[in-house]
Amino acid sequence: MALVIGINGSPRKGWNTHTLVKNALDGTAFQGAETELINLYDLSFQGCVSCFSCKKKGAAALGRCALNDDLKPVLEKIGTCGALILGSPIYLMEVTAGLRTLIERLTFQYITYRNDEATFYKGNLPTLCIYTMNVPETLMVQSGYEDKFKSYSHLFE
């Protein structure tokens, strides 16, 4: 069975988000998957710098992020894994800045801006998003969180 990667996008280890991501990974391991838990806030990385190395025809980094930081090997692993679990607390109606940065770099590297192919990514990556927050369900609906979560789901379709 393929590798399942779990990303804890919370700066807190051992708290709600970390626990839920770990439990989801444990469930996949029980089914026979190899798993890896990555605590995003243990890494040193930055957001996309719009260098477009991932877009240039003939470039060594075509379809892959060219930034050399701690996130690069994580992006490479995600590009070959069988499933992805992303977990984040919601701060100010958004996932953490660290997880947003990972999502930005992960998805942008695959966008082609071409008419003949929309993405460099040729696979199908089942992705589970886990969100934790201290908001009652009724307020979550009233505040538009569902649309926010759907927009993240759309990025991975």
Side-chain angles (χ1 to χ4, degrees), residues 137-154:
E137 188 173 350
T138 54
L139 183 56
M140 184 189 84
V141 172
Q142 291 171 352
S143 299
Y145 282 105
E146 289 179 310
D147 291 334
K148 172 72 71 180
F149 300 154
K150 285 178 186 175
S151 72
Y152 281 116
S153 292
H154 178 70

Side-chain angles (χ1 to χ4, degrees), residues 11-132:
R12 297 176 176 164
K13 293 179 196 171
W15 288 52
N16 295 337
T17 304
H18 178 256
T19 299
L20 289 171
V21 171
K22 182 165 181 344
N23 287 348
L25 284 174
D26 289 347
T28 64
F30 183 76
Q31 296 297 316
E34 177 187 349
T35 65
E36 181 175 351
L37 175 64
I38 298 169
N39 288 297
L40 200 54
Y41 280 82
D42 285 348
L43 308 177
S44 178
F45 59 96
Q46 65 183 49
C48 177
V49 296
S50 196
C51 68
F52 278 75
S53 292
C54 60
K55 313 274 177 260
K56 295 176 185 166
K57 288 184 181 180
L62 183 65
R64 295 183 330 276
C65 185
L67 284 178
N68 285 313
D69 59 15
D70 291 351
L71 199 55
K72 186 171 185 160
V74 173
L75 297 174
E76 290 171 358
K77 282 182 186 179
I78 292 172
T80 62
C81 73
L84 178 63
I85 300 169
L86 300 173
S88 178
I90 301 298
Y91 298 150
L92 302 172
M93 300 184 71
E94 187 57 80
V95 297
T96 60
L99 188 63
R100 180 70 191 128
T101 298
L102 177 138
I103 291 169
E104 176 183 273
R105 292 217 0 228
L106 176 64
T107 57
F108 187 71
Q109 69 182 344
Y110 294 125
I111 297 169
T112 67
Y113 296 127
R114 297 179 183 176
N115 292 330
D116 59 333
E117 66 180 331
T119 180
F120 291 117
Y121 189 78
K122 301 303 179 207
N124 177 22
L125 182 61
T127 304
L128 169 65
C129 295
I130 298 172
Y131 307 106
T132 58

